[in-house]
PDB file of all heavy atoms in Angstrom:
ATOM      1  N   THR A 116     -18.251  -0.433  -6.027  1.00 96.00           N
ATOM      2  CA  THR A 116     -18.677  -1.624  -6.671  1.00 96.00           C
ATOM      3  C   THR A 116     -17.745  -2.790  -6.431  1.00 96.00           C
ATOM      4  O   THR A 116     -16.524  -2.596  -6.220  1.00 96.00           O
ATOM      5  CB  THR A 116     -18.866  -1.383  -8.156  1.00 96.00           C
ATOM      6  OG1 THR A 116     -19.360  -2.598  -8.800  1.00 96.00           O
ATOM      7  CG2 THR A 116     -17.523  -1.006  -8.802  1.00 96.00           C
ATOM      8  N   CYS A 118     -17.180  -4.976  -8.831  1.00 97.00           N
ATOM      9  CA  CYS A 118     -16.704  -5.338 -10.119  1.00 97.00           C
ATOM     10  C   CYS A 118     -15.216  -5.736 -10.090  1.00 97.00           C
ATOM     11  O   CYS A 118     -14.377  -4.900  -9.656  1.00 97.00           O
ATOM     12  CB  CYS A 118     -16.948  -4.248 -11.164  1.00 97.00           C
ATOM     13  SG  CYS A 118     -16.181  -4.633 -12.783  1.00 97.00           S
ATOM     14  N   TYR A 120     -13.019  -6.015 -12.218  1.00 97.00           N
ATOM     15  CA  TYR A 120     -12.112  -5.312 -13.087  1.00 97.00           C
ATOM     16  C   TYR A 120     -11.817  -3.893 -12.485  1.00 97.00           C
ATOM     17  O   TYR A 120     -10.700  -3.361 -12.680  1.00 97.00           O
ATOM     18  CB  TYR A 120     -12.669  -5.160 -14.497  1.00 97.00           C
ATOM     19  CG  TYR A 120     -13.012  -6.525 -15.031  1.00 97.00           C
ATOM     20  CD1 TYR A 120     -14.360  -6.943 -15.181  1.00 97.00           C
ATOM     21  CD2 TYR A 120     -12.037  -7.448 -15.402  1.00 97.00           C
ATOM     22  CE1 TYR A 120     -14.701  -8.211 -15.643  1.00 97.00           C
ATOM     23  CE2 TYR A 120     -12.342  -8.684 -15.869  1.00 97.00           C
ATOM     24  CZ  TYR A 120     -13.683  -9.072 -16.030  1.00 97.00           C
ATOM     25  OH  TYR A 120     -13.936 -10.343 -16.506  1.00 97.00           O
ATOM     26  N   PHE A 121     -12.791  -3.357 -11.802  1.00 98.00           N
ATOM     27  CA  PHE A 121     -12.606  -2.120 -11.113  1.00 98.00           C
ATOM     28  C   PHE A 121     -11.542  -2.258 -10.026  1.00 98.00           C
ATOM     29  O   PHE A 121     -10.753  -1.414  -9.758  1.00 98.00           O
ATOM     30  CB  PHE A 121     -13.907  -1.602 -10.524  1.00 98.00           C
ATOM     31  CG  PHE A 121     -13.760  -0.454  -9.574  1.00 98.00           C
ATOM     32  CD1 PHE A 121     -13.597   0.852 -10.078  1.00 98.00           C
ATOM     33  CD2 PHE A 121     -13.862  -0.581  -8.201  1.00 98.00           C
ATOM     34  CE1 PHE A 121     -13.458   1.925  -9.246  1.00 98.00           C
ATOM     35  CE2 PHE A 121     -13.760   0.490  -7.355  1.00 98.00           C
ATOM     36  CZ  PHE A 121     -13.509   1.763  -7.908  1.00 98.00           C
ATOM     37  N   ALA A 128      -8.872  -1.496 -18.923  1.00 98.00           N
ATOM     38  CA  ALA A 128     -10.191  -1.000 -19.398  1.00 98.00           C
ATOM     39  C   ALA A 128     -11.142  -0.993 -18.251  1.00 98.00           C
ATOM     40  O   ALA A 128     -11.786  -1.964 -17.869  1.00 98.00           O
ATOM     41  CB  ALA A 128     -10.693  -1.876 -20.530  1.00 98.00           C
ATOM     42  N   CYS A 129     -11.326   0.196 -17.662  1.00 98.00           N
ATOM     43  CA  CYS A 129     -12.366   0.380 -16.648  1.00 98.00           C
ATOM     44  C   CYS A 129     -12.732   1.882 -16.628  1.00 98.00           C
ATOM     45  O   CYS A 129     -11.984   2.679 -16.079  1.00 98.00           O
ATOM     46  CB  CYS A 129     -11.922  -0.061 -15.241  1.00 98.00           C
ATOM     47  SG  CYS A 129     -13.214   0.264 -14.014  1.00 98.00           S
ATOM     48  N   ASN A 130     -13.836   2.203 -17.171  1.00 98.00           N
ATOM     49  CA  ASN A 130     -14.318   3.665 -17.272  1.00 98.00           C
ATOM     50  C   ASN A 130     -14.511   4.221 -15.835  1.00 98.00           C
ATOM     51  O   ASN A 130     -14.475   5.448 -15.711  1.00 98.00           O
ATOM     52  CB  ASN A 130     -15.573   3.727 -18.081  1.00 98.00           C
ATOM     53  CG  ASN A 130     -15.312   3.556 -19.558  1.00 98.00           C
ATOM     54  OD1 ASN A 130     -14.346   3.920 -20.069  1.00 98.00           O
ATOM     55  ND2 ASN A 130     -16.247   2.834 -20.172  1.00 98.00           N
ATOM     56  N   LYS A 131     -14.784   3.368 -14.907  1.00 97.00           N
ATOM     57  CA  LYS A 131     -15.048   3.918 -13.547  1.00 97.00           C
ATOM     58  C   LYS A 131     -13.750   4.328 -12.860  1.00 97.00           C
ATOM     59  O   LYS A 131     -13.748   5.275 -12.108  1.00 97.00           O
ATOM     60  CB  LYS A 131     -15.786   2.857 -12.685  1.00 97.00           C
ATOM     61  CG  LYS A 131     -16.383   3.439 -11.408  1.00 97.00           C
ATOM     62  CD  LYS A 131     -17.062   2.348 -10.641  1.00 97.00           C
ATOM     63  CE  LYS A 131     -18.513   2.107 -11.077  1.00 97.00           C
ATOM     64  NZ  LYS A 131     -19.379   3.298 -10.885  1.00 97.00           N
ATOM     65  N   ARG A 132     -12.684   3.611 -13.126  1.00 97.00           N
ATOM     66  CA  ARG A 132     -11.361   3.998 -12.623  1.00 97.00           C
ATOM     67  C   ARG A 132     -10.771   5.115 -13.457  1.00 97.00           C
ATOM     68  O   ARG A 132     -10.165   6.023 -12.987  1.00 97.00           O
ATOM     69  CB  ARG A 132     -10.412   2.800 -12.584  1.00 97.00           C
ATOM     70  CG  ARG A 132     -10.282   2.123 -11.269  1.00 97.00           C
ATOM     71  CD  ARG A 132      -9.148   1.119 -11.188  1.00 97.00           C
ATOM     72  NE  ARG A 132      -9.344  -0.064 -11.948  1.00 97.00           N
ATOM     73  CZ  ARG A 132      -8.792  -0.420 -13.115  1.00 97.00           C
ATOM     74  NH1 ARG A 132      -7.913   0.409 -13.685  1.00 97.00           N
ATOM     75  NH2 ARG A 132      -9.120  -1.514 -13.737  1.00 97.00           N
ATOM     76  N   GLY A 137     -12.652   2.272 -21.408  1.00 98.00           N
ATOM     77  CA  GLY A 137     -13.377   1.102 -21.814  1.00 98.00           C
ATOM     78  C   GLY A 137     -14.003   0.328 -20.642  1.00 98.00           C
ATOM     79  O   GLY A 137     -13.887   0.829 -19.488  1.00 98.00           O
ATOM     80  N   CYS A 138     -14.582  -0.829 -20.947  1.00 98.00           N
ATOM     81  CA  CYS A 138     -15.207  -1.607 -19.864  1.00 98.00           C
ATOM     82  C   CYS A 138     -14.917  -3.061 -20.090  1.00 98.00           C
ATOM     83  O   CYS A 138     -15.432  -3.674 -21.036  1.00 98.00           O
ATOM     84  CB  CYS A 138     -16.737  -1.375 -19.834  1.00 98.00           C
ATOM     85  SG  CYS A 138     -17.597  -2.444 -18.717  1.00 98.00           S
ATOM     86  N   ALA A 139     -14.032  -3.611 -19.264  1.00 97.00           N
ATOM     87  CA  ALA A 139     -13.617  -4.995 -19.478  1.00 97.00           C
ATOM     88  C   ALA A 139     -14.797  -5.989 -19.179  1.00 97.00           C
ATOM     89  O   ALA A 139     -14.826  -7.137 -19.650  1.00 97.00           O
ATOM     90  CB  ALA A 139     -12.513  -5.319 -18.495  1.00 97.00           C
ATOM     91  N   ALA A 140     -15.765  -5.547 -18.369  1.00 97.00           N
ATOM     92  CA  ALA A 140     -16.871  -6.485 -17.953  1.00 97.00           C
ATOM     93  C   ALA A 140     -17.810  -6.770 -19.110  1.00 97.00           C
ATOM     94  O   ALA A 140     -18.456  -7.755 -19.112  1.00 97.00           O
ATOM     95  CB  ALA A 140     -17.603  -5.874 -16.817  1.00 97.00           C
ATOM     96  N   HIS A 148     -23.032  -8.452 -12.078  1.00 97.00           N
ATOM     97  CA  HIS A 148     -23.129  -7.136 -12.576  1.00 97.00           C
ATOM     98  C   HIS A 148     -24.628  -6.731 -12.775  1.00 97.00           C
ATOM     99  O   HIS A 148     -25.523  -7.536 -12.561  1.00 97.00           O
ATOM    100  CB  HIS A 148     -22.363  -6.981 -13.874  1.00 97.00           C
ATOM    101  CG  HIS A 148     -20.876  -6.952 -13.691  1.00 97.00           C
ATOM    102  ND1 HIS A 148     -20.208  -8.047 -13.257  1.00 97.00           N
ATOM    103  CD2 HIS A 148     -19.990  -5.926 -13.768  1.00 97.00           C
ATOM    104  CE1 HIS A 148     -18.906  -7.760 -13.106  1.00 97.00           C
ATOM    105  NE2 HIS A 148     -18.742  -6.459 -13.429  1.00 97.00           N
ATOM    106  N   HIS A 156     -21.020   1.722 -21.262  1.00 97.00           N
ATOM    107  CA  HIS A 156     -19.854   2.324 -20.606  1.00 97.00           C
ATOM    108  C   HIS A 156     -19.579   1.635 -19.298  1.00 97.00           C
ATOM    109  O   HIS A 156     -18.436   1.767 -18.771  1.00 97.00           O
ATOM    110  CB  HIS A 156     -20.041   3.811 -20.456  1.00 97.00           C
ATOM    111  CG  HIS A 156     -20.231   4.590 -21.704  1.00 97.00           C
ATOM    112  ND1 HIS A 156     -19.263   4.833 -22.558  1.00 97.00           N
ATOM    113  CD2 HIS A 156     -21.396   5.087 -22.246  1.00 97.00           C
ATOM    114  CE1 HIS A 156     -19.729   5.500 -23.642  1.00 97.00           C
ATOM    115  NE2 HIS A 156     -21.012   5.645 -23.483  1.00 97.00           N
ATOM    116  N   CYS A 157     -20.574   1.070 -18.705  1.00 98.00           N
ATOM    117  CA  CYS A 157     -20.372   0.437 -17.343  1.00 98.00           C
ATOM    118  C   CYS A 157     -21.601  -0.385 -16.970  1.00 98.00           C
ATOM    119  O   CYS A 157     -22.742   0.090 -17.101  1.00 98.00           O
ATOM    120  CB  CYS A 157     -20.115   1.538 -16.322  1.00 98.00           C
ATOM    121  SG  CYS A 157     -19.807   0.843 -14.633  1.00 98.00           S
ATOM    122  N   VAL A 158     -21.380  -1.645 -16.412  1.00 98.00           N
ATOM    123  CA  VAL A 158     -22.431  -2.446 -15.947  1.00 98.00           C
ATOM    124  C   VAL A 158     -22.213  -2.780 -14.494  1.00 98.00           C
ATOM    125  O   VAL A 158     -22.722  -3.821 -13.987  1.00 98.00           O
ATOM    126  CB  VAL A 158     -22.550  -3.712 -16.821  1.00 98.00           C
ATOM    127  CG1 VAL A 158     -23.103  -3.383 -18.175  1.00 98.00           C
ATOM    128  CG2 VAL A 158     -21.278  -4.494 -16.869  1.00 98.00           C
ATOM    129  N   ALA A 159     -21.493  -1.961 -13.757  1.00 98.00           N
ATOM    130  CA  ALA A 159     -21.142  -2.207 -12.392  1.00 98.00           C
ATOM    131  C   ALA A 159     -22.390  -2.091 -11.482  1.00 98.00           C
ATOM    132  O   ALA A 159     -23.205  -1.248 -11.633  1.00 98.00           O
ATOM    133  CB  ALA A 159     -20.098  -1.287 -11.892  1.00 98.00           C
ATOM    134  N   PRO A 200     -19.215   6.892 -15.717  1.00 97.00           N
ATOM    135  CA  PRO A 200     -19.342   5.932 -14.626  1.00 97.00           C
ATOM    136  C   PRO A 200     -18.581   6.310 -13.364  1.00 97.00           C
ATOM    137  O   PRO A 200     -18.832   5.793 -12.263  1.00 97.00           O
ATOM    138  CB  PRO A 200     -18.890   4.581 -15.187  1.00 97.00           C
ATOM    139  CG  PRO A 200     -18.801   4.797 -16.653  1.00 97.00           C
ATOM    140  CD  PRO A 200     -18.604   6.226 -16.888  1.00 97.00           C
TER     141      PRO A 200
HETATM  142 FE1  SF4 B   1     -15.162  -0.714 -14.816  1.00 83.45          FE
HETATM  143 FE2  SF4 B   1     -17.850  -0.459 -14.672  1.00 83.45          FE
HETATM  144 FE3  SF4 B   1     -16.755  -1.918 -16.644  1.00 83.45          FE
HETATM  145 FE4  SF4 B   1     -16.616  -2.788 -14.062  1.00 83.45          FE
HETATM  146  S1  SF4 B   1     -18.446  -2.564 -15.249  1.00 83.45           S
HETATM  147  S2  SF4 B   1     -14.944  -2.754 -15.615  1.00 83.45           S
HETATM  148  S3  SF4 B   1     -16.479  -0.834 -12.958  1.00 83.45           S
HETATM  149  S4  SF4 B   1     -16.485   0.338 -16.326  1.00 83.45           S
END
Side-chain angles (χ1 to χ4, degrees):
T116 181
C118 174
Y120 306 108
F121 172 74
C129 177
N130 289 322
K131 194 179 277 297
R132 261 191 287 109
C138 173
H148 288 68
H156 300 285
C157 182
V158 291

